[in-house]
Amino acid sequence: MKTTSLAASTAVLVIGAALLGAPAWAKLPPPSDEAKAKAAEAAAKTAWSGKVDAYKLCKSMDATAAQYYTQAKMAGKEVKPPVATAPCADPGPFVYTPPEAAPAAAAAAAPPAVAAAPAKK
């Protein structure tokens, strides 16, 4: 059985890595407008899902705290008043407004610009 030298095995590894990594160097074409729109909608839906998860967590924490206070009072334990926190914000149903429509709607809702007065000398 022959043993290979460290230099030979290192060279084989470097060449193998270069051959396997070559496709990663290829330049991809830019995404189409449809792909960009789909990615933007997916990002918006992911953000909305995060808000829904936070809302559900908030509601479950409120329910757990209410149950704790009820059981503690029934057991005769001294209960301090709960710390005031912000109410749970329901994100509502998912509604996606494409970015192209948003600037047009914002421009329509914006008040007209007022002309600036001439500068005094």
Side-chain angles (χ1 to χ4, degrees), residues 44-45 47-49 51-52 55 89-97:
K45 189 157 192 164
W48 174 79
S49 294
K51 291 177 185 178
V52 169
Y55 173 70
D90 186 3
F94 177 70
V95 178
Y96 178 68
T97 305

Side-chain angles (χ1 to χ4, degrees), residues 33-106:
D33 290 339
E34 182 180 315
K36 289 178 186 176
K38 201 171 198 179
E41 183 175 1
K45 189 157 192 164
T46 301
W48 174 79
S49 294
K51 291 177 185 178
V52 169
D53 291 342
Y55 173 70
K56 288 179 180 178
L57 176 62
C58 180
K59 293 301 276 186
S60 68
M61 290 188 317
D62 285 351
T64 302
Q67 184 179 12
Y68 167 78
Y69 281 107
T70 302
Q71 290 178 354
K73 286 180 183 178
M74 289 175 58
K77 293 181 182 178
E78 182 182 337
V79 180
K80 295 180 182 178
V83 176
T85 57
C88 300
D90 186 3
F94 177 70
V95 178
Y96 178 68
T97 305
E100 296 84 39

